[in-house]
Each structure stands twice: as structure tokens, then as C-alpha cells.
Amino acid sequence: MSNTQFDRRDFIKTALAGSAAVSLASLAIPAMARQEAHSSALHYGPMPGIAKLDANENPYGPSKAALSAIMKASQQGGAYYAYETGLRLIDMIAERYSLKPENVTLSSGSSGVLTSAALYASQTGKILGPDLFWDTTALAPHNQGKADILRLPKTNDLAIDLDAFYEAITDEVSMVQVTNPNNPTGRALDPVQLEKFCIKASKKCLVLVDEAYNELTDMPEKHSMIHLINKGHNIAVGRTFSKIYGLAGMRVGYLLSSADNIEKISKFGMGGYAMNQAGLAAAIASFDDNAFLTFSKEKIEQGREMVMSAVKANGLSALPSTTSFVFVNLGDVNADKFRAEMKAQNVMIRGVYRDYLSWSRVSMGKIEDVQKYVNALPRALDTLRNT
Ligand SMILES: Cc1ncc(COP(=O)(O)O)c(C=O)c1O
């Protein structure tokens, strides 16, 4: 084997590194999904008649272009490892953000790279996050019996106090994690304030910004912190094809950071072995599919307006959202009980988060499914208030 070939293989191993399905917990399938899988013939996605509004998926995907790429890639490449396809996607991503391929790593969904980052950070300290954020992957070290997450105190308006965040970065913190826009609140931070925070905070530790919903903001570029990587700040940004791209089941996500961080974080993942031809082909076909992205964004906005009006009409309130979900305040109604009542009407949503007992997250879906939520909402509230 020539040196060039060897270097390339070596590069592939590290550049594609990322998915860290390292703990059994991260492989666990939610009980509800497992039950449904066993009770039905092989069926992909929610059963007919179920409005699945609980995981912020985009049911308008995969796009037509993605579907034909999935078929072609499976026919031509399903029998082969997907290294070259992975490198193609890495090149496209690097070019879009004016980065180098060494600044990009892929994983099976962004959960892989975010888990790798958490495990990497846990070698030298603790992860600090807001009270509420998408903490599934930040919990990986805790799930392995290592350090728990440090959290900021709750705020009344569920906003993130960036000054308090900065002050909370003590010597024991090795990484701060921000989900922006945040999940489950749906709020985006002011980009200027966030940029200042990232620059200051990254002098103390690694700053991980999870931008899973960035494309849904009014000005995605302005809200992104990717440009700070180019300027040499100690920042990593996670992105995914699971949300607006409509490819949650195809499992492709990525992390951007300095070449040094990418190399170190990648050691906690499965490398190119985590990637598959069909998912990569779908991601490549979707990356620049602006017509599909615009269509999806419009549907999500239409759904949000429907939910916001229904919330108001039923005497409730919700946080403003720049994402594909809305965080509804049910007042005196418990969010787990509300979820059960909605499920009885074939509408799946989220229940209680931590100790936010009255807050309920609903994802946007196909418009007819959002309409089912709108119809079921008053009936569920009535039942709960009269029992
Ligand atoms: C904020 C955020 N980040 C990351 C993820 C992980 O998604 P995936 O692994 O499908 O990229 C999710 C999933 O809901 C999310 O909400």
C-alpha cells in the first residue's frame, strides 16, 4: 500500500470519527416505541392515525431528492462501507462554513458527536448547562457513573442568564453546553450576547453549542456560532440532518471545531464505522435542497401559528418559539396527565421535564396532525379539569 493510500485511510478513520453509542443507555429504545414495534407488523414510522408530535421530526421528509439518493446509494453501495461517501459529505460541510475537512466529524445523528464531546470533557471536569436544555448526551458521563451535570438555577421566564452562566464556570468545569435555539423552551438567545459569552467562556473551557434547530431561526447565519471556530476560539458546534432536513431516521449529524478538538473528541466515537451509505446519500442530496427546506420551514411556521392560536383560545400561554416545537404552559394541569389524555386521542406529545410540572412540549408535524392536536386540546383539558 502506498503512503498516500495509508494516509487517506488513517485520515478517514479520524475524520469520520464520532458516534459514541458507548453506553447501553444511549442505545435504549423508548418503552413506547418498543411496545409499538412488537405489536405491529413491520411498519416504519408512526402507525396510521397517530399524530406523532413528540420528537421534533419533520414528517415532510425525506425530500424527493433524498429518497432517490437513498435508493441509488443502497443499490450501488449498500454492500460496501461508506467511507468515501462520508468524506464527500465532510467536504461539502467544510466548504459551506469555510472550514477544513479536519474541522468536521460525522456521526450517526448528532447524538453521536455530542456524546463523544461529553465523554471527552468528562475526562478533565464537569459539564455546565442551563437548568433546561437538551441534556440527553451531556448525561452520558453520569450514566457511566462519572460526574453529573452542573446546572444554572431556574429562571422565572425560562430564559438563560448568560452573565450567571459565565460566573458559574469554575475550575471544575471542562465544558459548557448551550442548546441554541433551546430545547424544550424553543427560545433563541440574542446572537450578539451569545457571541460575547462564547468568546469569554471559551477562554475558560470548551464551549459546545448545539445548533440542531438553527435552520429554523429567522436568520440562521446570524444565530450560528460556527464563525468563531475559524477565529480560533475553543468552540464546538453540533448540527443535525434530523430536524428541518427530515432525516431523523437516516441518522446523520456532525460536529465542527478546531482540528485538535475534533481529533481528541473523535477518540470517544466509532469513526466511519458508524456511518451508512443511505443516510449519507440522503444528507448529501438534502444539504442544498433549498426548495425542500423552504417548504418545510413554511409548514412548521403554519403549524406553530395553529398551535399558538389554539393555546390562546383555550386560555393557556406558550413561550415564543423559533423551532419546530412549542413549549406550552398548562397552568394548573399536570403535563404527564395531559400527555396521557392526548395519547388517548392518538396525539403523542411530551410530558413533564424535570420539575417543570405544567410545561408541555408539542412538535410540529404534518398540518393534519397539528390539527388533531388542536382538536384534542380542549377535550383533554376538559377531562382533566373535571376529574
Ligand atoms: C437540541 C437537540 N440536539 C440534538 C438532538 C439529537 O438528534 P440527532 O441525534 O437525531 O441528531 C436533538 C434531538 O431531538 C435535539 O433536540
Side-chain angles (χ1 to χ4, degrees), residues 94-122:
E95 193 187 331
R96 161 139 345 150
Y97 302 115
S98 307
L99 292 164
K100 300 206 175 86
E102 307 83 277
N103 301 122
V104 186
T105 187
L106 302 176
S107 64
S108 177
S110 60
S111 301
V113 281
L114 296 173
T115 303
S116 298
L119 293 174
Y120 162 68
S122 74

Side-chain angles (χ1 to χ4, degrees), residues 127-178:
I127 298 171
L128 171 72
D131 191 47
L132 262 191
F133 70 111
W134 196 74
D135 58 12
T136 308
T137 52
L139 284 165
H142 167 77
N143 293 339
Q144 292 189 351
K146 291 188 205 139
D148 209 348
I149 303 172
L150 299 172
R151 295 179 193 265
L152 293 178
K154 242 181 188 175
T155 56
N156 283 340
D157 58 359
L158 275 64
I160 298 169
D161 178 342
L162 288 174
D163 292 332
F165 211 170
Y166 180 72
E167 291 306 320
I169 309 173
T170 58
D171 285 348
E172 63 172 347
V173 174
S174 56
M175 181 171 93
V176 299
Q177 184 162 341
V178 200

Side-chain angles (χ1 to χ4, degrees), residues 1 9 38 41 93 107 113-114 135 156-157 217 223 254 256 268 294 340 355 359 372:
M1 186 185 285
R9 278 185 53 159
H38 282 296
I93 294 169
S107 64
V113 281
L114 296 173
D135 58 12
N156 283 340
D157 58 359
T217 58
H223 282 279
Y254 57 96
L256 308 168
F268 294 85
T294 304
D355 57 349
W359 287 90
K372 282 187 191 148

Side-chain angles (χ1 to χ4, degrees), residues 55-56 108-111 114 134 179 183 210 212-213 240 242-243 251:
N56 305 339
S108 177
S110 60
S111 301
L114 296 173
W134 196 74
T179 311
N183 178 8
D210 178 355
Y213 302 96
T240 183
S242 297
K243 305 305 173 185
R251 312 303 301 130

